[in-house]
Amino acid sequence: MFGYYVELAVRSLRRNPVLTGLMVLAIAVGIGTSMTTLTVMHLLSGDPLPGRSEHLHYVQVTPYPQDATPTHPSEVMDYRSAMDLWKAKRADQQALLVGSTIKVHVPASTSPPLLLSMLSTHADFFTMFAAPFEYGGAWTAEDDEKHARVAVISSDLNHRLFRGENSIGKIIRLRDSDVRIVGVLKPWRPSPLFYDVYGGRMAHGDTADFYGKVEDVMTPFQSGLEINDGNFVQFTCWQLPPSPGHLQDAPCLWVRLWVRLQDDAKVAAYRRFVADYAAQQKAQGRFRHDLTAVPSLMEWMTSNRVVPGDVRLQVWLAFAFLAICLCNTVGLLLAKFLRRGADFSVRRALGATRGAVVMQCLVETGVIGIAGGLLGWLFTLAGLWLVRQQPVPYADMVRLDASMFMTTFVLAVTTSLLAGALPAIRAGRVAPALHLKTL
Amino acid sequence: MRTHPIFAALRHHRLATTLIVLQIALACAVMCNACSLIAARWQAMQLVTGIDEASLGTLYLSGFEPGRANDLNARMVAGLRAIPGVTAVNVVNTVPFSHGAGTVGVTLDAAGQREGGVVDVYLGTPGTLEALGIRIVEGRAPGAEDYRPVGDFFPSQANVLITRAAADHMWPGVSPLGKEIFVDKNHFRVIGVMEHLSIARPGSMGPEETDWSVFAPSLAGPTLAGTYVIRAKPGDLPAVMHKAREAVTALAPDAVLIRENSDSLPALRAAHFANDRAMMSLLVGIIVTLLLVTALGIVGLASFWVQRRRKQIGIRRAIGASRRDIVQYFQLENFFIVSMGIGAGVLLAYAASLTLMHFYEVPLLPPWYLAVGGATLWILGQLAVLGPALRAAAVPPVVATRAG
């Protein structure tokens, strides 16, 4: 019976190619726009470290000396608080993070120096965040202690400097210091670059930069501070720092702390530890406020509103668009089925049940839905291609993955069946006698 | 024409009518809000920087050692001035649309209690104001004696110029001349008011704060080095900037040229707003497709109605209705449907606008957007229904006499 309905549907659709074309086009345009935006949204709002993110936490204290009560704990830490909390080693793993830009070149090469982004952090960073290695590996905790002149470089930089060959043991010059490469990362593109996310509340929705690429050079925390001293940039200061770019003893916020806490009890204990630290600092007069927070990775992403405002707006627009296309299709289907009242009457008179007529209509709309889905899928690919041409940092990541590909068809068939339901029920309600008389 | 039969007919097709009304209402709401978003971006892009952008370019060098800054400045300024077509070269900390620099919160008293707001402090060597083409509307331009060496961040004592907008914010209703600003221990006195000078990264602050800038006359030195503003005739500028970027390799092999911040000001402005332009074309694309889909929906449904009513039309023609009467009937019917859609659309549009206001810092939808949106949909509806209506008018009266 189903095969017969499909045959009937195709025949009926071919009888009226313009109207069919309009319906397919309406669904396809609606699906194309909403799937394009949904794919981008899915890509930007997903969990950057599935399975691990719930154990990773960002640490916030509020070292401001001002009286005015802040509404949120500080986004970043001052050096002293960060070192105190890190040295206490109360978490399963922990790493301080500081970013800067640095001049890099390869000794004995003639190519001009590059100005690259550098991340100074601790050995735990790589295991905590599951950074994948192509060659070599992370430096050790001992390297952290010794302020060793070692570095891990990105896959990108390895291709630029060493044509992608195994460069372990090679020397690169960071500013004036020679540093030995101990590890080369595989291509790694967390979305967003979660460990560098902060300040999103003040970004006015312009958060596309959170989807940038990983730093090209990573060094042990103290080694980085020594090599690039004088070139650090503060997140904010409550007084002008005494010497620019050197921030260890400055009244500035510039260091971030990430910790791994394996279970809920540890999270609770760590929260208590941070709160106690802030209370103690307040008692000593160094802090004015004991506002603290230890959000999990995804909580931190949410409170930073990582998905850019433009992307969220586009999703809303696309779904409004889909709704309009849906109205359109319902209207056209209604017109189509009501016009065929005579056909349905004959079928009913020959013994078909109402359900059979409804079924036939639904199969027909399903066929339209599949056709619309196929075309909509092409529109989605075109839409994603357009997004890739845009000047946004996440442009290179925009692809249709298997799950979104499936979603496209499910959405197309569901929307078309939804659109078809009302007209189909109406078609099932035709009074056969009335129509047969007019034939 | 009597409208009663139209309403009676519409009541008969309640579902179809509701659908088309809903579609028009949604289209109206989306279109009006999309237009207001486009307008907001357009307005942001019309930003007045206060400088003579068409004649200016900038180079941003980094990675050099502070100890060699004076030497670098001397090499760069002399080398850039030698490029044919260059009329001025100055050392600055930044220019609009280049890298951010000098964003600080200032206070209006030495104790740091009365906050003046967060401003961009521009630093520039003698001749910078003239090179940038900044208009001074009150007070005086800095003289040679006003240019001071820069300490760690700013000159510790300086006679500065401030924008009209920042002055009005800090000292509403009073002349800012002679007033004082404090940045931590640094102490500035206002000697002049600039018509405009936008902050270096417009968009990083709220819309009111985009013109909150201070210009502090400065001398080049270890903390004022590496960023240069170049002036040339607008026609020469692209060629001059090309040569200037090429010259850096020879002039400053010890430094790294940051290419994305080193270009002519028109090019940097275009890059700064590239995202907004992309979003605007996307919104325009949405509006056009939306209107197209709506029009096609109206054509489809109207055609269907015409076909269903062939017999009635024939009867009306047979009892004396002219072709014009038939066309008018369908036009009037469409007008009513679209009007209902616009009515519902107004409510939806305002609901959407209130939501957008909450999330995107856009103003509430001005009523004339709805007027224009409504008019567009009315015209669109009339155009879309015209084809089916003319086909209806072509129905010969003889149809009425046929069985069926």
Side-chain angles (χ1 to χ4, degrees):
Chain A
M1 211 55 184
F2 188 74
Y4 173 60
Y5 286 156
V6 174
E7 196 190 322
L8 275 184
V10 172
R11 213 179 283 180
S12 145
L13 292 175
R14 274 170 57 183
R15 207 166 357 165
N16 220 324
V18 178
L19 199 61
T20 311
L22 272 182
M23 289 190 279
V24 171
L25 200 68
I27 290 187
V29 170
I31 295 289
T33 47
S34 46
M35 282 313 295
T36 301
T37 57
L38 211 59
T39 303
V40 174
M41 183 80 168
H42 171 74
L43 206 93
L44 301 190
S45 64
D47 185 340
L49 272 187
R52 276 177 164 265
S53 58
E54 66 267 31
H55 305 307
L56 297 172
H57 292 258
Y58 187 75
V59 186
Q60 292 174 272
V61 295
T62 312
Y64 281 118
Q66 279 96 340
D67 278 328
T69 309
T71 47
H72 299 270
S74 295
E75 306 260 317
V76 186
M77 272 191 247
D78 62 304
Y79 182 77
R80 186 170 150 195
S81 309
M83 282 315 280
D84 285 350
L85 292 172
W86 181 78
K87 274 184 189 152
K89 299 212 189 295
R90 295 294 188 93
D92 292 317
Q93 282 187 303
Q94 52 208 338
L96 294 179
L97 281 75
V98 160
S100 58
T101 51
I102 193 160
K103 189 160 72 170
V104 176
H105 95 221
V106 183
S109 101
T110 50
S111 53
L114 305 162
L115 200 74
L116 300 175
S117 54
M118 173 170 83
L119 181 74
S120 305
T121 184
H122 289 104
D124 281 352
F125 172 89
F126 301 96
T127 42
M128 253 165 87
F129 296 144
F133 278 92
E134 180 89 58
Y135 305 113
W139 60 81
T140 61
E142 201 188 330
D143 290 329
D144 278 328
E145 290 294 321
K146 289 194 315 200
H147 303 193
R149 294 297 187 254
V150 292
V152 167
I153 63 171
S154 69
S155 164
D156 243 18
L157 185 62
N158 196 44
H159 277 272
R160 275 167 84 178
L161 298 183
F162 305 106
R163 290 183 305 290
E165 290 158 19
N166 185 345
S167 55
I168 301 300
K170 293 239 167 77
I171 301 294
I172 51 172
R173 184 163 295 156
L174 302 182
R175 203 175 175 194
D176 299 322
S177 307
D178 282 347
V179 165
R180 185 169 48 87
I181 297 173
V182 294
V184 176
L185 293 177
K186 276 188 183 153
W188 189 37
R189 195 81 170 84
S191 152
L193 194 56
F194 56 89
Y195 59 80
D196 277 343
V197 165
Y198 59 93
R201 273 191 305 112
M202 296 89 154
H204 299 271
D206 191 5
T207 53
D209 287 341
F210 289 157
Y211 296 86
K213 296 183 170 144
V214 297
E215 285 80 357
D216 285 306
V217 181
M218 302 184 180
T219 60
F221 187 73
Q222 293 297 350
S223 316
L225 297 195
E226 288 162 6
I227 292 169
N228 211 15
D229 189 30
N231 281 323
F232 290 92
V233 178
Q234 63 278 6
F235 174 67
T236 187
C237 297
W238 53 89
Q239 273 170 1
L240 288 181
S243 69
H246 171 92
L247 302 176
Q248 268 91 321
D249 40 16
C252 294
L253 306 182
W254 59 299
V255 184
R256 290 164 283 141
L257 171 61
W258 280 94
V259 295
R260 185 172 67 84
L261 302 164
Q262 204 53 43
D263 58 54
D264 291 348
K266 280 186 176 156
V267 174
Y270 198 82
R271 288 208 166 113
R272 215 159 35 240
F273 159 66
V274 175
D276 288 347
Y277 174 78
Q280 177 208 340
Q281 294 298 313
K282 193 181 166 191
Q284 288 175 9
R286 196 168 80 88
F287 287 8
R288 278 296 165 86
H289 309 282
D290 52 8
L291 211 53
T292 64
V294 186
S296 71
L297 194 155
M298 287 314 279
E299 285 166 359
W300 181 236
M301 297 301 113
T302 310
S303 72
N304 272 281
R305 301 188 198 133
V306 284
V307 177
D310 277 359
V311 173
R312 275 180 281 138
L313 185 64
Q314 284 163 11
V315 172
W316 281 111
L317 277 174
F319 275 86
F321 202 83
L322 183 63
I324 289 166
C325 291
L326 208 62
C327 280
N328 204 326
T329 312
V330 178
L332 294 177
L333 278 172
L334 200 66
K336 197 161 179 355
F337 291 156
L338 289 184
R339 190 191 292 177
R340 295 209 341 253
D343 290 12
F344 296 138
S345 304
V346 174
R347 282 205 66 212
R348 294 271 278 117
L350 291 175
T353 58
R354 276 188 183 179
V357 170
V358 171
M359 196 59 209
Q360 187 197 335
C361 291
L362 282 181
V363 169
E364 196 170 324
T365 58
V367 171
I368 293 173
I370 289 169
L374 272 172
L375 192 62
W377 170 66
L378 290 179
F379 283 173
T380 308
L381 289 181
L384 292 177
W385 180 82
L386 275 176
V387 175
R388 279 199 294 278
Q389 309 310 308
Q390 287 189 7
V392 286
Y394 52 82
D396 61 314
M397 299 193 282
V398 176
R399 291 272 179 286
L400 196 67
D401 62 12
S403 71
M404 289 318 267
F405 177 77
M406 285 311 295
T407 316
T408 311
F409 283 95
V410 173
L411 190 69
V413 175
T414 324
T415 46
S416 62
L417 287 183
L418 231 99
L422 204 63
I425 292 165
R426 282 297 278 264
R429 286 216 315 245
V430 289
L434 203 79
H435 272 281
L436 285 174
K437 256 201 319 207
T438 62
L439 272 179
Chain B
M1 185 178 215
R2 299 246 313 257
T3 53
H4 174 71
I6 295 178
F7 285 124
L10 284 181
R11 257 203 301 281
H12 215 75
H13 298 285
R14 235 171 301 157
L15 186 59
T17 312
T18 314
L19 281 169
I20 201 106
V21 165
L22 200 65
Q23 188 185 343
I24 287 166
L26 274 167
C28 181
V30 172
M31 194 170 70
C32 291
N33 280 293
C35 282
S36 102
L37 289 170
I38 291 175
R41 305 230 167 200
W42 174 255
Q43 213 155 28
M45 285 173 66
Q46 301 312 305
L47 172 92
V48 178
T49 50
I51 62 172
D52 182 9
E53 290 167 49
S55 318
L56 295 171
T58 184
L59 291 184
Y60 174 31
L61 273 56
S62 186
F64 56 88
E65 287 309 315
R68 313 249 306 147
N70 286 333
D71 173 47
L72 176 80
N73 281 336
R75 276 182 277 145
M76 284 300 295
V77 171
L80 292 174
R81 281 200 180 129
I83 294 173
V86 170
T87 54
V89 175
N90 287 92
V91 190
V92 291
N93 62 341
T94 188
V95 292
F97 308 122
S98 188
H99 55 290
T103 304
V104 291
V106 300
T107 54
L108 305 180
D109 58 349
Q113 293 305 307
R114 282 177 52 220
E115 286 183 11
V118 176
V119 301
D120 266 16
V121 178
Y122 282 92
L123 310 175
T125 51
T128 303
L129 283 177
E130 292 79 357
L132 290 175
I134 287 174
R135 276 196 47 187
I136 296 168
V137 287
E138 205 183 325
R140 63 175 176 90
E145 71 289 355
D146 292 317
Y147 286 87
R148 304 275 170 84
V150 182
D152 288 337
F153 294 94
F154 308 112
S156 56
Q157 308 278 323
N159 290 333
V160 301
L161 291 94
I162 187 167
T163 56
R164 181 89 266 167
D168 287 346
H169 170 74
M170 291 181 203
W171 306 283
V174 243
S175 168
L177 294 183
K179 292 271 194 285
E180 292 167 311
I181 312 172
F182 299 84
V183 181
D184 202 351
K185 294 174 287 290
N186 303 315
H187 172 219
F188 300 155
R189 184 179 299 278
V190 177
I191 56 164
V193 178
M194 302 178 283
E195 187 180 29
H196 289 293
L197 175 58
S198 82
I199 59 172
R201 305 292 307 163
S204 61
M205 294 281 169
E208 293 86 32
E209 289 126 82
T210 42
D211 205 22
W212 286 7
S213 301
V214 170
F215 178 82
S218 312
L219 295 172
T223 40
L224 182 57
T227 305
Y228 306 93
V229 61
I230 300 166
R231 190 175 172 94
K233 277 207 213 84
D236 300 342
L237 192 62
V240 163
M241 282 315 294
H242 181 74
K243 282 199 195 109
R245 279 203 302 265
E246 297 307 302
V248 171
T249 331
L251 291 174
D254 52 334
V256 184
L257 178 72
I258 310 296
R259 287 194 166 261
E260 68 261 30
N261 288 323
S262 303
D263 212 328
S264 68
L265 265 286
L268 290 178
R269 175 189 264 266
H272 186 82
F273 288 117
N275 226 336
D276 295 277
R277 244 193 336 271
M279 190 70 186
M280 273 171 71
S281 39
L282 185 102
L283 288 169
V284 170
I286 290 239
I287 293 174
V288 170
T289 328
L290 199 75
L291 291 179
L292 220 64
V293 168
T294 309
L296 288 178
I298 294 174
V299 172
L301 221 61
S303 306
F304 162 71
W305 271 333
V306 169
Q307 206 158 28
R308 278 206 94 181
R309 294 178 194 158
R310 267 175 77 83
K311 209 173 119 191
Q312 288 92 323
I313 294 166
I315 293 170
R316 283 197 62 200
R317 293 276 284 122
I319 59 173
S322 68
R323 281 166 193 255
R324 254 186 83 176
D325 288 333
I326 304 293
V327 173
Q328 267 177 5
Y329 175 87
F330 282 100
Q331 284 183 325
L332 211 60
E333 184 187 61
N334 180 270
F335 180 79
F336 286 133
I337 294 177
V338 173
S339 301
M340 279 191 279
I342 292 169
V346 168
L347 298 178
L348 259 176
Y350 270 102
S353 176
L354 285 171
T355 320
L356 284 177
M357 246 172 83
H358 187 68
F359 289 111
Y360 295 97
E361 299 171 6
V362 287
L364 189 68
L365 205 59
W368 65 271
Y369 273 77
L370 284 164
V372 173
T376 310
L377 285 168
W378 266 311
I379 293 168
L380 187 81
Q382 292 299 313
L383 287 177
V385 85
L386 201 61
L390 287 174
R391 233 173 307 136
V395 172
V398 72
V399 168
T401 61
R402 291 206 189 116

